[in-house]
Amino acid sequence: MTGRPGGRPLVPAYLSTGGVARPSRAHLERLSVLTGSGEPAPAELPAAQAALLEELEYGSLTVLEAAALLRLPVSAVLVLAADLLDRGLILARAPIPPARRFDPDLLKRVADGLRDLKHR
């Protein structure tokens, strides 16, 4: 099978999920981190799920990164990942929350303290 110009696959994304439109797990997000569980993959695993498992053999990926590597929409990868989670073939954890902003006053006091130490 050859791809279209621009590298897009000929197979529609919904076929890679078996026609399933929504993931079975609502807590998965675009930045959820996926990791292989180490369980052997069954032989009857659909091609798209096998490809996702293969990508996770090399380490953890976010759903967004996996979608880019597999050239699938994020929504399709969410469905694939949820099914693999249900089968116990991968693990997922919530995205790391963004760090809180630093206190500018604290930063100024630290800088002032360092300047005082330098001039002693």
Side-chain angles (χ1 to χ4, degrees):
M1 170 168 38
T2 59
R4 293 182 183 161
R8 297 187 67 200
L10 290 174
V11 178
Y14 66 86
L15 290 180
S16 66
T17 64
V20 178
R22 297 195 194 293
S24 63
R25 305 217 177 196
H27 71 276
L28 281 176
E29 301 175 32
R30 296 164 42 122
L31 295 177
S32 293
V33 179
L34 307 175
T35 307
S37 68
E39 294 293 319
E44 73 279 355
L45 202 60
Q49 290 181 355
L52 177 55
L53 268 180
E54 186 178 319
E55 291 297 337
L56 294 176
E57 284 180 11
Y58 304 107
S60 299
L61 294 171
T62 64
V63 171
L64 197 59
E65 291 169 325
L69 288 170
L70 297 175
R71 292 183 159 180
L72 288 172
V74 173
S75 58
V77 174
L78 285 169
V79 171
L80 297 172
D83 191 44
L84 291 172
L85 271 166
D86 293 341
R87 292 174 175 226
L89 296 173
I90 65 170
L91 306 170
R93 72 172 162 77
I96 298 169
R100 291 191 318 206
R101 293 201 48 143
F102 61 87
D103 179 9
D105 185 51
L106 175 64
L107 188 59
K108 183 181 179 320
R109 288 184 299 175
V110 169
D112 291 343
L114 289 173
R115 266 188 237 108
D116 286 346
L117 285 173
K118 182 179 177 183
H119 295 299
R120 286 186 184 188

